[in-house]
Amino acid sequence: MASLGKSRWETLYAFNFAKNAIHQQKTAILCEGYMDVIAYHQCGIDIAVAPLGTSLTEQQLKILQGFCDTILLSFDSDGAGQKATKRAILMCRQFSLTTKIIRLEGGKDPAEIMVKFGAETLTKQVQNAILDSDYLLSKIKAQYPSESPEDKTKAALAFFPYVDSLQSDIQKESSLDQLAGAFNLSPEAVRRDFNNRSQARSRLDSRSIQSDGNQVRPIKLNAELRAVLAVLSNPEEYSIMRRELNSDDFEDPLAKELFIKLEERYKQGNFSYMSVLELCDDNVQQMVTAVTASGEFSKKEKQDEAEFKDMLGRMVRDSINLIKRNALERQRKKLNERLRAFTPTTRDDENYLRTLVSEISQLDKQIQMQKK
């Protein structure tokens, strides 16, 4: 059923069979795997497709965007499936696709529901798909059931990445109103916290967030992390970073880890904020999401697009220069330590000593160039 001659991150299972129906209905069902697609098609629901051999990619959404304006997500009801659903919601909304969730009740996946209850039940669940904002708010309310101000603030901050993903100011306003109604909050207070996300998170001391009751290590925003997170939030800047740096230039472990994952996704052709986070463990995902949701690396309301791009580009370039200079200084320090500890006793030792001095001299010149 899959298209041939394309990379797997560009291919959608059953798309050749489903594209006409998708175009006619302006709707596609995105499934987790090919068995789910088969189940839908057996039920006469011929708009179902699935990523082939990989998680959902931007390239696959670009294909669907040319045929429809609405995506129904049908991922498994287990933990991994729900995590994939949240990721897919943000990706779909970034492509201005109306997104709904098929709530799979009575089974883990569509194939199991079809076998247990038949085509009519599965068809009804498709017809009863709910908007992504309703789905997310129901999950957030279950996670933060308390009426305390702290839980309400955490709930709002958990919803803000979705609002950020919306491409229309009207949609953003409507979603913030929906959030206010769901948690009995003042719409004005919600908007203030959204526009000042970093301050709201700071009030909760969210740089040391919690996961499943366990303390997650705090994230300290040094120059390396700022550069990597800025690029992660704005992937178009990554081509500059990968041209100038390699993983050995990073001293901060988290910045180095994220840079390696950025490069991995870049080489795969599946390069986006969500695809990179997918490679990280839950703690890193939460730490990174907490910082990026603060809006520090996003265009501010009423800020000119060209001004934002220029500011971001300068910040990334300045950070790259600082990272390169620090890496060179670490190399020079190691060579100086080796030089002080070295006592030449043979002619070969003297040659090695001259080589060390020459390398230190070259590093000094490179460091001076970076300071200009």
Side-chain angles (χ1 to χ4, degrees), residues 177-209:
D177 286 341
Q178 188 178 4
L179 171 65
F183 288 90
N184 194 26
L185 299 167
S186 158
E188 293 76 17
V190 170
R191 285 179 177 78
R192 282 197 300 270
D193 271 7
F194 178 72
N195 292 328
N196 300 282
R197 299 187 283 291
S198 57
Q199 291 91 327
R201 192 168 292 280
S202 178
R203 290 197 295 270
L204 285 173
D205 193 24
S206 62
R207 294 288 166 85
S208 182
I209 58 179

Side-chain angles (χ1 to χ4, degrees), residues 15-55:
F15 183 68
N16 284 347
F17 295 87
K19 62 182 180 182
N20 289 336
I22 291 173
H23 187 259
Q24 290 169 4
Q25 300 182 39
K26 300 299 180 186
T27 302
I29 296 176
L30 261 176
C31 303
E32 193 162 348
Y34 72 93
M35 291 299 294
D36 300 329
V37 174
I38 292 172
Y40 278 118
H41 282 258
Q42 287 178 339
C43 292
I45 304 170
D46 52 1
I47 56 173
V49 295
L52 185 66
T54 183
S55 56

Side-chain angles (χ1 to χ4, degrees), residues 79-286:
Q82 296 307 297
K83 183 177 176 181
T85 298
K86 293 176 183 177
R87 171 182 178 269
I89 287 171
L90 299 183
M91 291 182 69
C92 290
R93 283 299 185 175
Q94 287 167 0
F95 281 86
S96 299
L97 292 163
T98 299
T99 310
K100 297 182 178 182
I101 314 302
I102 299 172
R103 291 177 294 182
L104 299 173
E105 299 173 350
K108 176 188 173 184
D109 53 43
E112 184 178 339
I113 291 169
M114 185 193 71
V115 170
K116 282 184 176 180
F117 306 106
E120 185 178 346
T121 296
L122 188 57
T123 300
K124 188 172 294 185
Q125 292 185 4
V126 172
Q127 294 169 346
N128 293 334
I130 63 172
L131 275 171
D132 50 0
S133 56
D134 293 327
Y135 167 84
L136 289 172
L137 285 172
S138 70
K139 295 295 182 182
I140 293 171
K141 288 188 79 171
Q143 186 177 1
Y144 300 109
S146 168
E147 290 292 317
S148 70
E150 290 78 11
D151 261 16
K152 288 185 176 183
T153 304
K154 289 177 183 178
L157 290 169
F159 190 66
F160 287 163
Y162 169 75
V163 180
D164 273 326
S165 73
L166 299 172
Q167 303 303 297
S168 159
D169 287 342
I170 293 175
Q171 288 179 325
K172 290 179 188 288
E173 287 286 314
S174 177
S175 294
L176 291 173
D177 286 341
Q178 188 178 4
L179 171 65
F183 288 90
N184 194 26
L185 299 167
S186 158
E188 293 76 17
V190 170
R191 285 179 177 78
R192 282 197 300 270
D193 271 7
F194 178 72
N195 292 328
N196 300 282
R197 299 187 283 291
S198 57
Q199 291 91 327
R201 192 168 292 280
S202 178
R203 290 197 295 270
L204 285 173
D205 193 24
S206 62
R207 294 288 166 85
S208 182
I209 58 179
Q210 293 187 342
S211 172
D212 298 327
N214 297 319
Q215 195 74 12
V216 178
R217 70 183 188 273
I219 183 169
K220 296 181 180 179
L221 279 182
N222 52 43
E224 293 184 0
L225 268 173
R226 283 185 183 280
V228 174
L229 290 173
V231 168
L232 184 59
S233 301
N234 303 272
E236 63 273 13
E237 297 290 332
Y238 182 63
S239 59
I240 301 172
M241 177 174 281
R242 74 184 300 265
R243 186 171 64 243
E244 299 290 337
L245 300 175
N246 61 63
S247 60
D248 291 334
D249 291 324
F250 290 87
E251 186 176 24
D252 183 272
L254 179 55
K256 184 173 185 174
E257 176 186 349
L258 289 171
F259 178 83
I260 290 171
K261 294 185 185 328
L262 280 164
E263 182 65 12
E264 181 179 345
R265 286 305 198 197
Y266 182 89
K267 289 179 177 178
Q268 291 175 343
N270 179 17
F271 190 72
S272 68
Y273 174 86
M274 294 306 300
S275 70
V276 173
L277 278 194
E278 190 180 48
L279 297 175
C280 304
D281 63 39
D282 288 344
N283 285 355
V284 171
Q285 286 186 22
Q286 290 186 61

